[in-house]
Amino acid sequence: FLRCFGGEKYRRTFHYPTVWHLPEDAIRKARVLHLADMGPVSVKAAELMHESGGIVVIDADEFDPEIEAHMNLIDIFIGFVK
């Protein structure tokens, strides 16, 4: 299980601000990838996870255009309706 936060609001907190800093080996070894957004870093991580046969889960506060554009990379969507 691996969590990856790549969106703008997480860049100051987490250590993978660009696709060049992704822990690709860890993603490929994981069975489940848990995302909070579908920014460029998360999209790359989801692509890597699918290449290795894993499951991509997104736990999003809202359904935004980035998520909609990448629904093909999401296996499980956890959302919140206000």
Side-chain angles (χ1 to χ4, degrees):
F1 182 79
L2 182 67
R3 285 187 83 154
C4 180
F5 298 92
E8 194 65 40
K9 62 185 173 181
Y10 299 105
R11 290 200 177 158
R12 289 183 294 275
T13 308
F14 293 88
H15 201 25
Y16 308 118
T18 70
V19 295
W20 308 113
H21 294 100
L22 277 175
E24 291 189 21
D25 288 340
I27 292 170
R28 287 191 173 100
K29 290 177 185 175
R31 295 172 62 192
V32 177
L33 176 67
H34 185 110
L35 302 172
D37 65 68
M38 287 308 286
V41 175
S42 295
V43 168
K44 179 63 176 176
E47 290 169 346
L48 292 169
M49 179 56 64
H50 276 180
E51 288 172 10
S52 67
I55 296 170
V56 176
V57 178
I58 186 164
D59 186 354
D61 293 331
E62 57 191 36
F63 191 78
D64 62 31
E66 285 183 332
I67 292 172
E68 185 174 10
H70 297 97
M71 285 299 293
N72 62 316
L73 296 174
I74 300 169
D75 299 304
I76 300 171
F77 183 90
I78 302 167
F80 176 76
V81 178
K82 295 178 183 183

